[in-house]
Amino acid sequence: MRTGEELPPLEIEITRTLIVAGAIASRDYQDVHHDVELARLKGSPDIFMNILTTNGLVGRYITDHFGPRAVLRKVAIRLGVPNYPGDTMVLTGRVEETDGDTATVRVLGTNGIGRHVTGTVVVGVAVPTTTEAGV
């Protein structure tokens, strides 16, 4: 990992199942995350993803890139436009800073209507011990 390194983009299809399952898994029972009619009554064109699901997807993006030794030390995100069913979110990242075995990664997630998520993730990547490395 080095400063300036660009992470490859990750495309995530936003399905109704992903939105509802993420809300249930994070115990977010707000109707705007599972009931289309109630979401529309509240001014939304459809159900939309909750922040906890987005947070989990950002974490997945980072750990998939840095591997099984990656440890999320800090995740700081801000939501923008909603993720609606039928769209695709594309996550991208750039290593902003490194310090030993720790990196700060700037993350951006966009969809068809704009920026869904922006933020930074501090990730530690443990170096294998000599016995783990087979030495």
Side-chain angles (χ1 to χ4, degrees), residues 1-7 93-98 103-105:
M1 77 188 151
R2 59 183 164 59
T3 301
E5 175 185 349
E6 299 281 339
L7 280 63
R94 181 177 188 278
V95 176
E96 295 288 311
E97 181 182 342
T98 60
T104 301
V105 182

Side-chain angles (χ1 to χ4, degrees), residues 67-90:
R69 297 188 175 284
V71 176
L72 301 177
R73 303 212 187 275
K74 180 180 178 183
V75 178
I77 62 170
R78 178 176 291 245
L79 290 184
V81 300
N83 263 340
Y84 292 118
D87 207 342
T88 299
M89 178 174 64
V90 179

Side-chain angles (χ1 to χ4, degrees), residues 18-30 33-34 50 53:
L18 176 61
I19 293 170
V20 174
I24 291 169
S26 60
R27 297 183 179 187
D28 183 347
Y29 304 115
Q30 294 291 318
H33 303 307
H34 64 85
N50 72 354
T53 303

Side-chain angles (χ1 to χ4, degrees), residues 6-52:
E6 299 281 339
L7 280 63
L10 173 65
E11 292 186 10
I12 299 170
E13 290 184 45
I14 307 303
T15 64
R16 290 184 187 284
T17 301
L18 176 61
I19 293 170
V20 174
I24 291 169
S26 60
R27 297 183 179 187
D28 183 347
Y29 304 115
Q30 294 291 318
D31 50 28
V32 294
H33 303 307
H34 64 85
D35 188 314
V36 176
E37 291 176 21
L38 290 176
R40 287 182 180 147
L41 283 173
K42 293 182 177 182
S44 178
D46 208 332
I47 62 172
F48 54 90
M49 185 176 285
N50 72 354
I51 191 168
L52 296 170

